[in-house]
Structures are given as C-alpha cells and as structure tokens.
Amino acid sequence: MTYAPSSRAFYDADSHIMELPNFLIDYADPAIRDQIRPVNYSASLVTDEEVDAIVANGSKHTVAHVEAQVALGDQLIAESKEIQALGAFDRDDRSVAMDMLGFKKQLVFATHSVVTPFHPSTNLPDDVRYGATRAHNRAMSEFVANDSRLMGVAVVPLNNPALAVAELEFALQAGLEAVWVPHMAAGERSPSHVDLHPFWERLADSGRPFVLHVGGAPLQLDPVWTNTGRAAVRDWMGGGENVRSKDMAVMHQGPETFLSVLLMDGIFEKFPKLRGAAVELGAGWVPAMLTRLDWVVRSWSRVDQYLAELKRIPNETIREQMAFTPFAFEDIGMLTDTSYDDIYLFSSDYPHVEGGKDPIGRFEKSLGDRSERVRTNFYTENFLKLFPDSRVH
C-alpha cells in the first residue's frame, strides 16, 4: 500500500531535500568554491553527529537504515523525517520513497542551501551570490534527473536583473520546473521594478511558475520586537534560531507584501501568462488579502495612476495566476468557503516534521463534507493549472 490512496491523484506542491555539507561546494565553479560555506544545520533538528555519520558512510545511509525505512510501508511519511528520511539526500532512495508515498508528482525544494543566494545583505558580491545560485541549480537538476515524478525547484535571486535573467535561462535549460524567488525587495529595487520586467517576461513565456517559500526572506522579526525586558522565548524546536511564536504570527506579511506589489504595479496584467504559488507560508491570510486588495485598488485608483490602468479586479487576477499551500493545521474547508476552491494546493512537506504525520488525514478532516469538486481541485487540478504538462494519465 502507498500512503496516498490510489483512488485519487495526489500532486504534492512541497517537499525537500536535506542537503549534505558539500551540496553547494561540489557544484560550484572552481573560482568561487573556497568562498562557499558548507551547508549548516545549526538552526534545525538535525545534529552534527548525524551528519558526520552519514558523510563518514560515503554520504549515504547504511543499508540497514534504508531497509528499516522501506519496512515502514505506508507509515513512511509518519516516521521518516529530516535527514534520516528515505531519500532525504539520495536520489535513488527518493524514487523508492515516491513509490511508497504514491504521489503523482512532487515539487522538490532545498532546505538549508539558499542562505547565500537569498542573503539579505546588499554587500554580498554578485559573483558569490550568483555562484552559489548556479551551484544549487546544478545540484538540484542532478537530484531530480532520473525520476520524472520529481520536479526540481530552481532558485534565482533578483538583486542583479541581468544575472537573474541569465540564471533563469540556465534553470530552464537544466530542466528545473519552478523558480523560487525571495519574497523581499530585490536589493535596492522593488520586485516590480522596470529593470526586472525582462525577468518576469521570460519566466511568463517559459510556462514555468515562480514560487515563494519560507526561507525566501529572514525568518525572524527585527530583534526590537522581541526585546520585552523578559527572558527570550524558544523557537518551535526548543532553540532560538528558528521560527518563534511572534515570527509565525506575521510570517504572511512578507509574501503578502511581495504579491501586493506585483499586482498593484501591474506585473500580473503586463505578463498574463505569469503564474506563481506561495508555498509553506500558510494560506489563512489569503481571503483577507483578496478583500483588502480589492478595496485598496478600488479606492486608491483615483489618486494612483498605475492602479487606474489595471483592467481586472485583484480577486480575478489572483484567482487566475496564483495558488497557495495551507499548513496541515489550517482549515482548508473554511478557506475554500470564504474565498475560492481553485487557488489552494495540497502539500506534504516531506520529509520535514512540520508536514506532520498524516497531512492527507488532517486535510480530509477539515474538508469535512465539502464536495468532490473541492477535493479534486485541492489535491489535483489546482496543481495542474500551474503545471499543465505534469498530468499523469
């Protein structure tokens, strides 16, 4: 038995690789290799001892470990997590995991290797930023190359418009099927800046969607917001370097700002073939964003000449060109009731613990008595709106 019931086609909009330390270094150009730092797991549940043991075993899990993971059967997603998961970093093992999970397709994101490509500092040299970006995209392309069910996600920082277009071309040639851009200002520019129009135009013409994802902007609030004169709170993993409660409460502000800017500056209308998704950033904020954008555009179009040029109301634009993945603990039934059933995507987050032990079960519970159409859209058709060539017959 597979985890996903065979009675329905499940398309997974979020999964990850757990990069080993040399993930970028091994694929970087020699000229910058010594400037690329090893992948670091300090802000995660993975220990240095675990990583060291895997590297010492030839950067593979032991045969006994793999056999134990395979023996989990349809409980793989419940028990196989983080760097110890089946296929966390080995592409052949990942194909076995896909056999067991039963998903038709699966987007594959990096976990810890985007620190340099998406570094918020404007002082980071372009050769290092885009050198690390190229290394990531080479590595990701190789990871997914042997299994058509795996859809590799490229990363492309927008700091340098010309280099962003060049890296986009590389990612397209490498067969990567989505492009992760950081949901923050592009260096000193808005992501809607005219200098970036060639990037959005090429992406739209390519048929590949852009994706926003947690990790595409700093995870934590400015420290002043947590300076309360009391002891610091712990993050969700028991430390202090990952997402804390206040960070989680406002996580949506970055992607909402990014998408609002693109919409209000006319990027979606100028490039109507452009598609995108906000992934692992929750979706509880989406209905309110749709309402807010509608009234902002309606009211401010009297004084904002660019809003006056928009031909569609924001609801129509977002519904046509964007999609969102709810967290497993969010009420997807309520979200479809208060907005639309054609903008939300199923995701497993395999092998991250945040995805939970039974994402399908949790989503099914919140879907309750919603119709078959709602379920088919969520698990299947909304994904295929973004990736129409990915349907498995």
Side-chain angles (χ1 to χ4, degrees):
M1 284 183 62
T2 60
Y3 165 67
S6 59
S7 56
R8 185 183 301 281
F10 290 83
Y11 290 78
D12 184 4
D14 186 34
S15 78
H16 292 269
I17 54 175
M18 305 296 292
E19 309 95 316
L20 294 179
N22 280 7
F23 180 80
L24 293 180
I25 295 170
D26 288 347
Y27 290 86
D29 290 333
I32 65 153
R33 195 167 289 158
D34 61 352
Q35 299 180 68
I36 303 294
R37 295 181 179 179
V39 173
N40 188 300
Y41 278 87
S42 62
S44 77
L45 295 170
V46 176
T47 67
D48 291 340
E49 290 76 16
E50 286 180 283
V51 177
D52 290 345
I54 291 167
V55 171
N57 192 56
S59 295
K60 297 180 72 69
H61 283 137
T62 66
V63 172
H65 181 84
V66 172
E67 290 175 347
Q69 295 291 297
V70 173
L72 291 170
D74 60 4
Q75 290 299 301
L76 182 74
I77 201 166
E79 304 297 335
S80 192
K81 297 295 184 183
E82 302 299 313
I83 205 163
Q84 299 296 353
L86 184 66
F89 51 83
D90 184 292
R91 67 181 188 178
D92 295 329
D93 289 348
R94 186 57 161 259
S95 291
V96 177
M98 285 295 287
D99 293 340
M100 298 168 67
L101 293 168
F103 301 139
K104 300 299 184 183
K105 296 279 186 176
Q106 185 177 69
L107 286 185
V108 184
F109 291 81
T111 296
H112 293 293
S113 60
V114 299
V115 173
T116 300
F118 291 166
H119 200 286
S121 173
T122 58
N123 295 323
L124 184 68
D126 280 345
D127 63 336
V128 177
R129 185 186 302 278
Y130 285 91
T133 298
R134 178 62 56 89
H136 168 280
N137 293 338
R138 287 170 176 154
M140 180 63 76
S141 177
E142 183 169 305
F143 184 83
V144 302
N146 289 350
D147 192 329
S148 62
R149 295 170 297 183
L150 301 177
M151 302 173 65
V153 178
V155 299
V156 178
L158 304 180
N159 301 63
N160 182 312
L163 293 178
V165 171
E167 192 57 37
L168 172 59
E169 291 292 350
F170 176 84
L172 297 175
Q173 292 298 316
L176 298 171
E177 299 191 56
V179 177
W180 180 4
V181 297
H183 52 276
M184 54 187 172
E188 300 294 335
R189 302 176 184 84
S190 165
S192 58
H193 194 282
V194 294
D195 288 351
L196 284 164
H197 285 194
F199 173 85
W200 296 118
E201 181 177 25
R202 180 68 183 100
L203 187 60
D205 289 345
S206 76
R208 302 289 200 276
F210 72 91
V211 286
L212 313 180
H213 194 283
V214 67
L219 285 173
Q220 297 185 327
L221 283 170
D222 188 302
V224 298
W225 295 107
T226 57
N227 180 11
T228 63
R230 300 185 295 174
V233 299
R234 294 179 178 178
D235 64 34
W236 72 275
M237 297 186 300
E241 297 179 342
N242 210 285
V243 176
R244 300 159 303 191
S245 55
K246 289 178 183 175
D247 306 320
M248 187 66 186
V250 298
M251 183 183 290
H252 70 283
Q253 292 179 349
E256 183 171 354
T257 300
F258 189 96
L259 295 176
S260 297
V261 165
L262 289 190
L263 184 140
M264 295 171 70
D265 285 336
I267 295 298
F268 287 113
E269 285 206 355
K270 184 176 179 65
F271 308 112
K273 293 187 292 183
L274 184 65
R275 298 291 185 272
V279 177
E280 203 177 341
L281 291 160
W285 50 280
V286 173
M289 178 188 69
L290 293 172
T291 300
R292 183 161 44 253
L293 283 173
D294 274 0
W295 70 254
V296 167
V297 170
R298 182 173 61 249
S299 299
W300 262 262
S301 60
R302 292 171 292 182
V303 295
D304 183 329
Q305 67 269 35
Y306 303 115
L307 295 186
E309 295 173 357
L310 298 180
K311 302 296 191 296
R312 293 180 292 169
I313 64 172
N315 264 252
E316 294 173 344
T317 299
I318 295 296
R319 190 176 183 184
E320 176 66 25
Q321 295 179 248
M322 283 298 303
F324 307 85
T325 62
F327 292 122
F329 54 77
E330 291 185 301
D331 189 338
I332 179 59
M334 179 273 292
L335 292 175
T336 61
D337 292 346
T338 54
S339 54
Y340 307 104
D341 63 22
D342 55 2
I343 59 173
Y344 300 107
L345 307 169
F346 165 74
S347 63
S348 74
D349 202 22
Y350 182 85
H352 288 177
V353 296
E354 303 97 293
K357 292 180 175 293
D358 182 15
I360 293 176
R362 295 189 73 171
F363 286 129
E364 277 297 296
K365 184 177 180 180
S366 65
L367 281 167
D369 61 359
R370 271 76 178 186
S371 69
E372 176 64 19
R373 186 197 72 185
V374 171
R375 284 175 159 81
T376 299
N377 279 347
F378 179 59
Y379 293 121
T380 308
E381 296 302 327
N382 296 344
F383 185 98
L384 294 170
K385 280 175 59 179
L386 292 177
F387 302 98
D389 297 331
S390 295
R391 188 182 298 275
V392 177
H393 297 283

